[in-house]
Amino acid sequence: MAGLLDSVNQRTQLVGQNRLELLLFKLMGRQRYGINVFKVKEVLQCPPLTSMPKLHPVIRGVAHIRGKTISVIDLSLATGGRPIEDLSKCFIIISEYNRSVQGFLVNSVERIINMNWESIMPPPQGAGRFSYLTAVTEVDNELVEIIDVEKILDQISPVNTDVSEELKTPDTSEKVHGRKILVADDSSVARNQVKKAVTSLGVECLLAKDGREALVMLKEMAKDGPITDQIALIISDIEMPEMDGYTLTAEIRATPALKDLHIILHTSLSGVFNQAMVNKVGANNFIAKFNPDELASAVKEAVNS
């Protein structure tokens, strides 16, 4: 497994080209899963785990890695499956989501593949067993499932979405009167977190599940009049199926009827985002998930400017 991620820092050129790399892994069965390499800090053989009282049932224990104590989440248990067996033969994917580092226990790790976001599709609607999925794709004629990690983490330790009272002043709602905020995110949990935070400011939200859907919505709205009279700003995730947030931003800036929109990129890629790329595509701001006061402050600053 050593060397699997050795060149991860050389892969940043994929960002902004609507491309990503997936680390493929398996849980308890033949089904393949994928996680974005940019979320992955390290992959290692599962070390001895220490049990602690009152841990969430899907946390198998804590590991002491490079001077830090990291919770290890059994991804099979977390998605409703059987617990992963024989920890001595399993792997931990150390990842960073939403400003925190955690380990995901998986049965085996396969390889890294280069993908286009257009090949990453939303999961089928109405299928209960896909409730923990945020996207699907096909590799070697087999379905690869991409787990909604933000949903799992929120169930283990729910995110606070309450905005401080001092930020809930009427100046924001007056500025966006008659306009709305568009939120684009492939995770239903993340969409609702953002919605709850910003609606507490007295504004209304429109929701899109990926960049392509958001772009179609904006172009349709622009037919009815100036888009900035209708949309106060956009809050977009970066990682999304079909069209990522960087590409969405670039498309908006390249479309005359949309180019003046204020765009905040809001992503769980807290430790590895590319500030140069944020500037290159023309986003106005970047905020790592998830701090409701930071998001609310950015919204207020955008609509009051």
Side-chain angles (χ1 to χ4, degrees):
M1 196 54 56
L4 180 63
L5 298 172
D6 284 350
S7 61
V8 67
N9 290 331
Q10 300 172 13
R11 295 188 161 102
T12 54
Q13 67 269 19
L14 296 175
V15 179
Q17 299 178 20
N18 212 35
R19 300 190 69 82
L20 79 159
E21 288 192 326
L22 289 178
L23 173 63
L24 301 183
F25 61 91
K26 291 184 178 180
L27 301 176
M28 292 299 291
R30 296 182 57 191
Q31 177 61 51
R32 284 176 172 170
Y33 298 88
I35 183 172
N36 192 334
V37 166
F38 279 105
K39 298 287 183 67
V40 178
K41 298 173 71 69
E42 189 175 4
V43 178
L44 67 159
Q45 196 86 32
C46 183
L49 301 182
T50 302
S51 297
M52 298 183 67
K54 298 184 179 180
L55 287 177
H56 192 280
V58 304
I59 298 178
R60 297 290 293 270
V62 298
H64 302 282
I65 300 171
R66 310 199 191 291
K68 295 184 178 180
T69 301
I70 298 174
S71 296
V72 177
I73 299 166
D74 186 327
L75 269 189
S76 183
L77 269 178
T79 54
R82 295 179 290 122
I84 291 175
E85 303 167 354
D86 196 356
L87 301 190
S88 65
K89 297 181 180 179
C90 297
F91 294 88
I92 295 180
I93 299 173
I94 307 297
S95 66
E96 182 172 1
Y97 278 83
N98 300 355
R99 310 186 191 211
S100 67
V101 176
Q102 51 280 311
F104 296 123
L105 183 67
V106 301
N107 196 52
S108 62
V109 177
E110 294 191 347
R111 67 186 194 275
I112 291 173
I113 58 169
N114 189 314
M115 301 286 295
N116 192 301
W117 274 111
E118 292 179 353
S119 301
I120 310 295
M121 306 299 293
Q125 294 182 354
R129 71 188 185 93
F130 289 107
S131 60
Y132 282 96
L133 301 186
T134 188
V136 296
T137 190
E138 188 175 287
V139 177
D140 300 335
N141 297 318
E142 292 185 8
L143 185 72
V144 172
E145 301 179 354
I146 300 173
I147 296 173
D148 188 346
V149 173
E150 287 171 284
K151 180 174 182 177
I152 292 173
L153 295 178
D154 190 61
Q155 291 180 345
I156 296 172
S157 180
V159 170
N160 175 31
T161 58
D162 295 329
V163 173
S164 299
E165 289 299 320
E166 56 266 27
L167 290 172
K168 299 177 183 179
T169 53
D171 57 337
T172 301
S173 56
E174 291 173 2
K175 288 281 188 177
V176 296
H177 181 70
R179 297 188 294 168
K180 299 177 176 66
I181 290 176
L182 175 61
V183 177
D185 201 302
D186 61 323
S187 169
S188 60
V189 168
R191 287 196 300 271
N192 289 329
Q193 289 170 348
V194 175
K195 180 180 178 181
K196 184 176 179 181
V198 300
T199 53
S200 68
L201 301 176
V203 301
E204 187 177 344
C205 277
L206 298 175
L207 302 178
K209 66 180 182 299
D210 57 54
R212 190 175 301 282
E213 183 177 71
L215 187 62
V216 169
M217 290 172 64
L218 291 170
K219 288 182 175 180
E220 284 298 313
M221 294 178 71
K223 295 177 182 179
D224 297 328
I227 192 66
T228 52
D229 290 345
Q230 304 174 64
I231 296 291
L233 70 142
I234 297 168
I235 302 172
S236 176
D237 188 17
I238 289 180
E239 293 184 288
M240 294 182 288
E242 298 200 80
M243 180 182 290
D244 67 17
Y246 288 129
T247 306
L248 170 63
T249 302
E251 289 286 340
I252 289 172
R253 294 294 181 241
T255 304
L258 307 177
K259 64 181 179 64
D260 294 327
L261 283 166
H262 189 100
I263 302 171
I264 298 174
L265 292 178
H266 187 237
T267 177
S268 56
L269 291 169
S270 53
V272 292
F273 79 95
N274 189 329
Q275 183 64 55
M277 183 56 63
V278 172
N279 297 334
K280 179 181 177 180
V281 298
N284 298 94
N285 201 354
F286 172 95
I287 302 175
K289 294 177 180 176
F290 182 82
N291 183 304
D293 282 357
E294 280 190 19
L295 186 61
S297 295
V299 169
K300 288 170 67 70
E301 181 181 352
V303 300
N304 290 329
S305 59

